Structures are given as C-alpha cells and as structure tokens.
Amino acid sequence: VGSEMCIRDSICTKYTSLPLLSFQQPTPIAVKALQGKLTDVLHQQAAILLWKAAQPMDQVRLLSCRGTGNGLVYKNPSKRKSLHLDDFEFEIAGCLRVGAALPGPPLCQNCSHAGKHCNRPLSVIHILSCKIGGGVSLIHKALAAQVANISRDIGATVHFEVPIPEFHSSAHSSSPIDNDLFDPLEEQNSQAALMDVVAHCPNGAEFLLDVSVRNPQTSRYFSRACSSMGHAAARGEADKRVRYPTTVGKTVIPCIAESFGYIGPAFLDFIDVAVEVHRDNHPESSSLPKLLKQQWLGDISASLTKSVARSVRSAVHGAQGKRLTADNLFPQTDTSQENLRLTIASSPVTAPMHNVS
C-alpha cells in the first residue's frame, strides 16, 4: 500500500503544484463544504432535467406545491384534532402532492341534494372543481374558518358573510370564464358584496377578508401556471381588487390560496399584520408571535389538505350535497368501513396516529 501511494504522489505532482490530500487524515472542513456545494449543484442539475421532462400539468402541480407554509401539515401537524388526517386522507394528500394516480372508480360518484348524479370522468382537475356534492364549497369554507381562527387569536370579534354596503354599487354580473373554475358560493357572495370574514379588533382596526381557493390546473391559469409559481393566486388577488376597489376607506384583503397549498402574497401579508397586532397586545412575550405564525401556516396547510382530501373522498365514495356549517366541516370519519381503508399495508407513516403531536 505504501509503495502504491508513493507512485500516486509522484504521478500527480507532475500535473499539479497544489499539495495532495492524504487519505489517512480527516477531511478538512473546507473540503467538506466544497463537497456539499458540488452535491447541491448535481441535485440542481438533476432537478432541472426532471423538470424539463415533466408534463405541463405536472409542472403546474409542482409549482403550486411550493411557497411559504406549503406542506407544513407533514412537518408540523396541527394542534387542532379536527385537522388531523385519517389514513385515506393522508393517502390522497400524498397522491395529489407527488402526482400519483388516485384510487377510485372511473366516474365521479358525487350526488346533489336533489338527487342529480355527476358521473363525469374522475380526474384531479374535476374533483377540485366539481359543483355536485359540495366539495368546492367545503374547501372554501375550510379556508374561511382558518382565517376566522387567526382573527380570533389576535383578539378580534369575528363575523361571517357580512354584507358591505359600500361595495354594492360596484356589484356586477359576469359569467364564469372557466366552468371548472366557477365556485357557486364565491359567486353568490360576490354578487351580494358579502365578506367571508369581517374581524373587528379591540384597537378599532377592521379587517374585511374575502377568501378564495383557485385551481391552477384550470384552463384560465394553465398556460402561465406551468412556468410562473403562484400565477393562479396572483390572478385571484387581481380579481378581488377589481371587484372590491377601495371605497370610502373600506379595503378588502384577498385571502387567496391554490388547491395544492400555495398561499398568495396578500394572504401572507395579512398573517404578518396579525402577528404584529398580537405582539402589540402581548408585549411581554417575544417568541410567541413567531410560533403563532408557524401554527397559523400549519393550520392553513392542514385545512387545505384535509378539505381537498374530503372532496376526493366524496367523489370516490359518493356524497350528497348539504349546507356546510363550522360544526360539520370536518366530521369524524368511521375508518372501520371497508371502503375507507388503505389498499396498502399500514406503516408508521400512514398509521392513524402519524400526525398527532
């Protein structure tokens, strides 16, 4: 071995004037840092190759799965037990995030309260936009509930679906640009100038919060959403500002998210403002506001993930539309039913207690 290393040293010194690394000594920290940078570059190049090979629909999904707070449900599970995922919901959430095929029949099993069956081909884009069965309204209501929870945490008095007379004059009637994008509840509130959440803080501040969840895979957004992260959320914010221009001192805050978890900039700005309000109310605690922001982002991630998974559940197993309230948004699921069990073996990742903190 010694003679082989001598030969190596003699050959290598002909081509470099730098001292050679000894394989018998610990690797210097500088070399480890270089190795880490090289590994990052290789991973980045591999990601670029995979991105170029991906289909446009997958590119839309991957971009919409990014952003601040997105996916926190997997890292920091919510403390709210109503937002914990059962096995089926966790399986669906994983399939949607990685682009795997959804389990279920070929046709949507949703049924309206009047008995109308959907029976359209079952696909991700259809499930996120199906008007029969109440899935779209569930996602909308679930996000509004989290906005209300944030408002309550900062000490505000919360009211739901409050008419704002200042915006009645700007009400307009318009047909949906994309039928897959159309949300009956959102359109109804828009026509009547109803705010999803109105929060009145003890210091006199008022927040007019209008919620919307946009599906980036619909035709309205698709062409730009496959190359621009958060394009659907940005268009949603622009829609709200056109519908509700600042009037008589009234300003609407658009709380927009995308179906795959991306949170819009205006929504994040509202969360930062809520953190400041909470800090002003609790000056004795310096670390609590930061923890609260992570908790809020985690709850938003969990709420979106669970409501989308519930929509898939209704489309796969059949559900009849009904009026949604805060009490029945996320009813407890009887996982003893055969059709709600996973088709794969149980593991620590998919076990019922996987996200209990």
Side-chain angles (χ1 to χ4, degrees):
V1 176
S3 60
E4 291 178 355
M5 296 185 66
C6 291
I7 295 174
R8 182 208 67 176
D9 293 343
S10 62
I11 294 175
C12 293
T13 51
K14 295 180 181 180
Y15 301 98
T16 178
S17 58
L18 298 175
L20 298 175
L21 294 175
S22 173
F23 293 120
Q24 298 178 346
Q25 298 295 329
T27 305
I29 296 178
V31 175
K32 289 184 177 180
L34 177 61
Q35 289 175 341
K37 291 180 180 179
L38 290 174
T39 301
D40 291 341
V41 171
L42 292 174
H43 287 169
Q44 185 178 9
Q45 291 299 317
I48 291 174
L49 292 176
L50 290 173
W51 174 262
K52 291 181 177 180
Q55 296 295 321
M57 194 67 75
D58 289 326
Q59 293 177 342
V60 172
R61 171 181 53 80
L62 290 170
L63 288 176
S64 188
C65 285
R66 299 179 62 186
T68 303
N70 198 342
L72 276 180
V73 62
Y74 306 104
K75 182 180 179 181
N76 297 316
S78 174
K79 295 181 180 180
R80 303 179 189 274
K81 291 185 178 181
S82 62
L83 295 180
H84 291 174
L85 309 178
D86 61 28
D87 278 350
F88 181 84
E89 292 164 349
F90 188 74
E91 179 190 14
I92 294 302
C95 289
L96 290 173
R97 197 165 183 85
V98 304
L102 295 174
L107 299 179
C108 178
Q109 303 298 305
N110 277 333
C111 178
S112 70
H113 187 70
K116 178 183 177 181
H117 293 271
C118 179
N119 289 331
R120 290 184 60 183
L122 193 66
S123 64
V124 173
I125 187 173
H126 171 70
I127 290 173
L128 296 177
S129 306
C130 183
K131 313 305 179 298
I132 300 176
V136 173
S137 296
L138 168 64
I139 299 172
H140 184 104
K141 290 271 190 179
L143 186 60
Q146 297 314 310
V147 172
N149 287 335
I150 294 174
S151 302
R152 292 191 186 97
D153 287 342
I154 63 175
T157 301
V158 174
H159 302 280
F160 292 93
E161 298 184 353
V162 179
I164 308 298
E166 288 81 357
F167 295 115
H168 284 168
S169 60
S170 59
H172 64 286
S173 177
S174 61
S175 59
I177 297 176
D178 185 344
N179 188 56
D180 286 332
L181 179 67
F182 180 59
D183 181 350
L185 178 61
E186 184 177 352
E187 182 68 13
Q188 177 184 343
N189 289 352
S190 178
Q191 294 293 329
L194 296 178
M195 290 298 105
D196 290 299
V197 178
V198 174
H200 296 281
C201 297
N203 61 2
E206 179 186 59
F207 295 106
L208 306 180
L209 305 162
D210 203 39
V211 172
S212 180
V213 180
R214 302 298 173 101
N215 180 1
Q217 293 184 334
T218 57
S219 59
R220 185 190 183 196
Y221 308 125
F222 179 77
S223 61
R224 292 286 303 278
C226 60
S227 59
S228 177
M229 181 177 68
H231 173 68
R235 290 289 299 274
E237 291 182 0
D239 291 343
K240 295 298 183 183
R241 292 191 176 99
V242 170
R243 171 62 187 89
Y244 302 113
T246 299
T247 306
V248 197
K250 299 285 187 178
T251 301
V252 173
I253 300 176
C255 296
I256 313 295
E258 295 183 2
S259 304
F260 293 96
Y262 180 88
I263 301 174
F267 198 172
L268 293 174
D269 290 343
F270 164 69
I271 293 175
D272 289 334
V273 171
V275 169
E276 293 301 322
V277 172
H278 190 279
R279 181 181 286 113
D280 293 340
N281 293 338
H282 303 81
E284 71 283 356
S285 177
S286 59
S287 60
L288 183 60
K290 183 178 180 181
L291 296 176
L292 264 180
K293 181 176 181 179
Q294 287 299 108
Q295 175 186 322
W296 292 338
L297 291 173
D299 287 350
I300 293 170
S301 174
S303 182
L304 283 172
T305 301
K306 190 175 183 69
S307 58
V308 169
R310 290 271 178 170
S311 297
V312 175
R313 184 197 299 274
S314 68
V316 169
H317 300 293
Q320 193 172 44
K322 61 179 179 180
R323 180 171 177 80
L324 295 169
T325 65
D327 296 329
N328 68 0
L329 278 179
F330 298 126
Q332 295 297 320
T333 302
D334 182 8
T335 54
S336 64
Q337 298 179 29
E338 185 67 29
N339 62 352
L340 298 183
R341 292 180 180 175
L342 283 173
T343 55
I344 59 176
S346 179
S347 69
V349 177
T350 60
M353 301 296 290
H354 68 84
N355 61 355
V356 177
S357 57

